[in-house]
Structure formats: C-alpha cells, structure tokens
Amino acid sequence: EGLRLHLSDSSRPSGGSSAAEPSPSAPAPPAPAPAPPAVWSGMARVRRLLERLGLAEYAAALEEEGYDDAGFLLSLDRGELTKVAAAVGMRPEHAGHFVESVRQLKR
C-alpha cells in the first residue's frame, strides 16, 4: 500500500505545494554568475602583460607568431626572449625592455 500511496501522491495535480517543487509564487533562484573574463589565460594574459610593459603594440605580432601563452614566455631565458622579440619585429629599445621585464617577472 505504501507504493500505491506513493504513486497516487506523484499523480496529484501540480497546483499543490511539495518539498521538491518550488511554489509558483516563489521567486526564481538567481542565475549563476557569469564566469570571470579570462584575464590571466591565453592571449589575454599576454596582452595584459604587454600593456603593463607599455608594449601592447606587439600583441598582434606575438599572437601571429604563436606566442599566445604568457606562462611559456615567462619560462624562456634571455636568449630565447631576445629571439622572440626579433621574430615579432620589436625595435631594439623595446626588445631590451621586454627581455629584462619578463626576466624580472620570473623571479
């Protein structure tokens, strides 16, 4: 009989309130908050790094050359960073600033 009661309870019209169903007059739960922007991932992180260094003009060139991972850039040594700067056409004074600044961030 317990099963019969259970079945008859579940076939009850939905107008009644039940613990599993929210009341029609109750406000809907808030929508989940949107995910934060990916400020520190992928190319967004590289752009942010370049902006901090005053070298944002090289963001597109770095992306075109495949340097879209700030973690990778931070893992490079001085010689490798110098090659990256040359590959994207940084002016010598910008290249020096880029290399030294990225090296300091690694510390």
Side-chain angles (χ1 to χ4, degrees):
E1 273 189 68
L3 181 60
R4 178 184 271 168
L5 286 175
H6 178 71
L7 290 174
S8 66
D9 286 346
S10 67
S11 64
R12 189 174 50 187
S14 62
S17 67
S18 107
E21 297 177 17
S23 166
S25 62
V39 171
W40 288 109
S41 65
M43 193 59 204
R45 185 174 179 204
V46 173
R47 279 192 188 94
R48 175 104 178 221
L49 172 65
L50 292 171
E51 288 170 3
R52 286 177 51 201
L53 300 178
L55 300 172
E57 66 195 82
Y58 298 106
L62 281 164
E63 187 171 27
E64 286 173 18
E65 291 294 323
Y67 297 109
D68 59 357
D69 183 341
F72 174 74
L73 290 172
L74 291 170
S75 75
L76 300 178
D77 64 24
R78 179 191 301 268
E80 293 165 326
L81 288 168
T82 301
K83 288 178 184 178
V84 169
V88 300
M90 284 190 192
R91 295 195 318 242
E93 65 275 15
H94 290 170
H97 175 59
F98 172 76
V99 170
E100 291 308 312
S101 297
V102 172
R103 289 195 57 207
Q104 286 179 4
L105 289 173
K106 289 169 49 168
R107 295 180 189 165

